[in-house]
Amino acid sequence: MYTAYFKSGNVSRTVISSFGGINRRARIGDGEFADMQNMSADAYPLLAPRAARTVAQRQLTETKTEQTVETTVYKSLNGILGDVGFCAVWGTDFYYLGQKIEGLSLIDGEKRLVAFGANILIYPDQKYYNTVTGESGAMETAETVSGSETILTGNGFKYKASDSRISTDADGNVYISVNYIMGWRGFNLNSALCKSAKESFYMPQLYVDGENATKDSFKNYLRIRIQNGMIEYISSATTVCIGLGSDRYTLEDIVWKALPIEAVTAPELTGETGYLWNGDTPIKITDGMLYLAEPGDLSSVFSSIGNTSSSALVCTYNWTKSNLPRLDHVCVLDNRLWGCRYGMQAGSTAAVNEIYCSKLGDFKKFTTGTTADAAWSASVGAYGKWTGCIALGGRVLFFKEDKMLRVSGTKPANFQIAEIADVGLQSGCEKSMQIIDGVLYYKSRDGIYTYDGSMPTRISDKLGDAQRAETAVAGSIYGKYYVALDGVLYVYDTYTGLWHKEDRQNIRYFTRYGGSLYAAVDQDIVCLVGEADTIFAAAEPEGTFVWSCESGDLGLESPYQKYYKRVLICASGGFGADMTVSMIPDGSEPISADFTFDGFGTVVFPVVTPRCDHMRVKISGHGAVRIYSLSYETETVSDTPERR
């Protein structure tokens, strides 16, 4: 007779006294973690959560009174910079060291802030503020030219002047409105509104238009309108007879159809002055009036509308030409402002793919020359839009998604451009670039790379799929690279080579100021590392937060079944800190125990798991806890019965 039995187990003890960071690869070490939240490498090789943060400033609000009614207006946080004193853009206002700078009005939208000596340059508005003298204003000078433009021409149409105007609607949208009653023969569109619609002929579907008119007067006529930057015509409508004794008609169930052209929608701004961009189309708002661009001009405003004949509609305009190039990305090196542009350029009717630098010491002058201090520009053959630029090691690096280009030299006579790598900067991730100890860190399409002047090297394999995020915003301080990948904050310690995951935050900007690292989180300014400066009078310390870390699958090195038991953790915690330890056998329900702290010591978790193939350990808690070592016992048993 044969009796099946299991051999007695072999018991071994595993001790982990050095803890790594997050590692999402298929096989990881005992001291690494498959997932974590709010952990840090500050105490390495110990395991510890991050330090508490401080909300330096909540979203700025403003109270406005209209007809004795008070309303609270929330301002958008559009940019922060701490290079030459802490500055922030709230809505259309610029703040320096916590004080609003009067007379410097901006367009409400995301900004690129660059320090040039004592000046803070504000893009895309192309304005500046001098932190020493307090001077501020526009970087560019402008030339105004007047003229006129024929908008529509046609045959046999009637024009209703009372319905054509430049005005502002109830929501503050500046728009051009033109209503036309036009003949059935169609019409030509010759519009400065839409650069791709020159000399285009349209023959809309016929219908009977009898809006408050007799049938004989308006038979077979169609209506056209231009408003909110769109040019439309009625493609269908129902004609209804109203009244008795005479044929009077009106239109119901009107369907407006937009013409297939590049139209521009007016931004919601009134009484403001500044510049916006809609793709490659520049738009200017001055005192509530909408400027729409023609190629070769910064902007053109239609200041009046009238019909000069029975078959044409004419608008007069003013053009404002800029003396500065439009720049997609900017940086500063050797007392020059550097930038790049891909697409339509101000003052040009052709697309450009160029690199620029300003005159030595003057960010307002870009007129090229042959002297050593002159401005300089050059065309580039590499295809694709620019994704960013940064100064590194006395040279300027310009990026496309699959190219890295380097400009070297000291003056226009010896400036040289070289393509040095095929690992570019991912589009939309220009804010991921940071320089730490002379090494550039940036987000490429397939991960985070470093570049020290030789060849780019990927360092983010341990992040798994997270390294292929679509968005990346980064900051750095004390040898650490903080990067928000699709809203999740990861930290790379350049000294230990470890990655740690903190939490999910909608971080839009980073900056350093006064030995601390700040971030724009949603619409608040948060001090992530260090203490908030005294300019933030209403700073709020962070409360208690949850931290956790979960190991990878333990026991995969052995194919036998196992029992896990008797977990020992040597740890210390501050007053009020707590910790929960969970054993998770084969992905089933966890077996947990809670612990509190009263100083330093070792806690014992006398657990015995069911027989399993592998196990995970998860540790979570609140407060300042440090874990010095962790150990557990493994009893290995055989799944194969023996015969006797």
Side-chain angles (χ1 to χ4, degrees):
M1 177 178 182
Y2 293 99
T3 302
Y5 75 100
F6 293 104
K7 288 184 177 180
S8 59
N10 297 318
V11 178
S12 62
R13 175 164 289 278
T14 301
V15 179
I16 302 173
S17 59
S18 179
F19 298 94
I22 192 170
N23 189 345
R24 286 179 168 155
R25 290 183 288 195
R27 189 70 176 268
I28 67 177
D30 287 347
E32 296 180 312
F33 299 92
D35 197 13
M36 60 173 54
Q37 180 182 7
N38 287 321
M39 303 305 292
S40 170
D42 288 344
Y44 178 80
L46 310 184
L47 183 63
R50 63 167 174 82
R53 302 166 180 165
T54 302
V55 179
Q57 184 174 350
R58 295 289 184 184
Q59 183 176 11
L60 199 63
T61 60
E62 185 178 56
T63 302
K64 291 187 176 182
T65 303
E66 294 183 3
Q67 298 180 352
T68 70
V69 178
E70 289 189 352
T71 57
T72 300
V73 178
Y74 290 87
K75 295 188 174 184
S76 300
L77 181 55
N78 292 326
I80 56 176
L81 182 70
D83 291 359
V84 283
F86 196 93
C87 61
V89 177
W90 290 98
T92 61
D93 299 324
F94 182 83
Y95 285 76
Y96 180 69
L97 297 179
Q99 301 298 317
K100 178 181 176 180
I101 304 302
E102 300 294 340
L104 183 55
S105 181
L106 308 171
I107 296 296
D108 194 355
E110 182 171 314
K111 306 302 176 193
R112 301 191 304 273
L113 305 177
V114 182
F116 188 98
N119 297 282
I120 299 171
L121 311 184
I122 307 168
Y123 280 87
D125 301 62
Q126 296 196 136
K127 293 190 176 182
Y128 72 96
Y129 173 73
N130 188 293
T131 60
V132 175
T133 65
E135 178 187 357
S136 64
M139 296 167 56
E140 64 184 350
T141 57
E143 174 189 358
T144 301
V145 180
S146 299
S148 63
E149 181 79 17
T150 299
I151 299 297
L152 297 171
T153 59
N155 294 311
F157 62 73
K158 295 186 178 182
Y159 167 60
K160 298 176 68 175
S162 61
D163 288 340
S164 302
R165 59 194 176 275
I166 298 176
S167 59
T168 303
D169 64 18
D171 296 325
N173 296 314
V174 181
Y175 65 94
I176 300 172
S177 179
V178 178
N179 283 330
Y180 248 69
I181 304 299
M182 297 199 63
W184 61 271
R185 299 178 187 176
F187 62 94
N188 285 296
L189 177 66
N190 306 320
S191 175
L193 286 171
C194 309
K195 60 186 179 184
S196 66
K198 289 291 188 181
E199 305 297 340
S200 298
F201 181 77
Y202 297 94
M203 176 64 80
Q205 176 183 343
L206 296 178
Y207 68 93
V208 177
D209 181 352
E211 183 176 328
N212 294 327
T214 64
K215 180 178 179 180
D216 293 337
S217 299
F218 291 97
K219 183 178 180 180
N220 292 337
Y221 282 80
L222 58 92
R223 177 182 288 271
I224 296 171
R225 70 181 183 187
I226 305 175
Q227 63 180 15
N228 295 329
M230 298 295 293
I231 300 180
E232 301 172 307
Y233 65 90
I234 297 179
S235 61
S236 64
T238 301
T239 306
V240 180
C241 177
I242 60 174
L244 296 173
S246 63
D247 291 334
R248 299 184 65 83
Y249 293 82
T250 187
L251 292 181
E252 294 184 357
D253 300 325
I254 298 175
V255 177
W256 289 95
K257 184 175 181 180
L259 296 177
I261 54 180
E262 296 179 11
V264 181
T265 301
E268 297 182 2
L269 289 171
T270 304
E272 299 291 342
T273 299
Y275 296 94
L276 294 178
W277 285 83
N278 181 7
D280 285 332
T281 305
I283 304 170
K284 184 179 180 181
I285 301 295
T286 298
D287 297 329
M289 299 183 70
L290 174 65
Y291 290 56
L292 297 171
E294 270 286 283
D297 303 293
L298 175 64
S299 55
S300 57
V301 59
F302 294 95
S303 56
S304 65
I305 299 178
N307 58 326
T308 58
S309 69
S310 61
S311 60
L313 173 69
V314 178
C315 291
T316 61
Y317 57 79
N318 295 314
W319 286 349
T320 305
K321 296 184 178 180
S322 173
N323 67 323
L324 294 183
R326 297 291 142 188
L327 301 177
D328 298 328
H329 305 278
V330 292
C331 67
V332 175
L333 177 68
D334 294 339
N335 208 18
R336 295 179 187 266
L337 179 65
W338 293 79
C340 51
R341 174 68 174 163
Y342 181 83
M344 295 295 295
Q345 184 57 274
S348 172
T349 58
V352 299
N353 184 18
E354 295 181 334
I355 292 174
Y356 306 84
C357 77
S358 71
K359 181 181 179 181
L360 186 67
D362 193 341
F363 56 83
K364 298 180 182 180
K365 294 184 179 179
F366 281 83
T367 302
T368 58
T370 58
T371 61
D373 64 345
W376 173 82
S377 66
S379 296
V380 174
Y383 177 77
K385 70 176 184 178
W386 298 103
T387 56
C389 66
I390 193 170
L392 176 70
R395 299 171 180 177
V396 183
L397 301 179
F398 290 90
F399 290 89
K400 295 175 181 283
E401 272 219 327
D402 57 354
K403 293 291 181 183
M404 180 191 298
L405 295 88
R406 181 178 62 204
V407 179
S408 57
T410 58
K411 55 187 177 181
N414 62 15
F415 283 146
Q416 293 183 338
I417 302 175
E419 293 186 14
I420 57 175
D422 293 332
V423 183
L425 175 69
Q426 183 175 344
S427 178
C429 297
E430 65 276 3
K431 290 183 283 188
S432 70
M433 294 186 292
Q434 291 290 310
I435 297 175
I436 305 174
D437 296 335
V439 178
L440 173 65
Y441 294 76
Y442 68 97
K443 172 71 169 68
S444 187
R445 173 60 67 182
D446 61 342
I448 305 295
Y449 279 77
T450 63
Y451 175 72
D452 60 2
S454 54
M455 291 299 294
T457 303
R458 191 169 64 197
I459 60 170
S460 57
D461 288 348
K462 290 185 177 182
L463 298 183
D465 291 340
Q467 67 180 324
R468 289 182 283 275
E470 291 298 319
T471 62
V473 182
S476 61
I477 194 169
Y478 303 138
K480 290 186 177 181
Y481 177 70
Y482 292 74
V483 58
L485 299 174
D486 284 345
V488 179
L489 181 59
Y490 294 88
V491 184
Y492 179 73
D493 191 310
T494 63
Y495 303 138
T496 63
L498 299 178
W499 283 97
H500 284 76
K501 175 185 170 185
E502 293 200 357
D503 55 0
R504 177 173 290 278
Q505 298 280 349
N506 181 25
I507 297 179
R508 301 184 296 123
Y509 314 98
F510 280 94
T511 192
R512 290 190 302 269
Y513 175 65
S516 299
L517 180 65
Y518 294 84
V521 181
D522 288 321
Q523 301 297 330
D524 301 330
I525 299 175
V526 177
C527 181
L528 297 181
V529 180
E531 296 183 0
D533 194 85
T534 55
I535 64 172
F536 302 106
E540 305 171 14
E542 183 182 23
T544 302
F545 59 89
V546 178
W547 55 264
S548 66
C549 52
E550 183 176 324
S551 72
D553 293 326
L554 305 175
L556 295 180
E557 69 281 356
S558 170
Y560 298 106
Q561 294 288 291
K562 314 164 191 73
Y563 294 101
Y564 293 94
K565 53 189 177 180
R566 194 170 176 78
V567 178
L568 304 179
I569 298 179
C570 181
S572 65
F575 177 77
D578 62 75
M579 179 177 69
T580 299
V581 181
S582 300
M583 309 281 282
I584 309 172
D586 287 349
S588 60
E589 289 296 318
I591 305 170
S592 303
D594 298 327
F595 302 93
T596 57
F597 289 92
D598 186 16
F600 177 88
T602 298
V603 296
V604 180
F605 184 15
V607 64
V608 178
T609 68
R611 194 173 68 173
C612 58
D613 175 72
H614 58 273
M615 176 198 68
R616 286 194 173 199
V617 177
K618 182 177 181 179
I619 306 173
S620 60
H622 304 81
V625 175
R626 289 193 172 192
I627 298 175
Y628 298 85
S629 61
L630 179 150
S631 70
Y632 57 90
E633 291 182 356
T634 306
E635 181 179 352
T636 304
V637 296
S638 173
D639 269 346
T640 305
E642 291 187 355
R643 292 185 175 183
R644 285 189 175 178

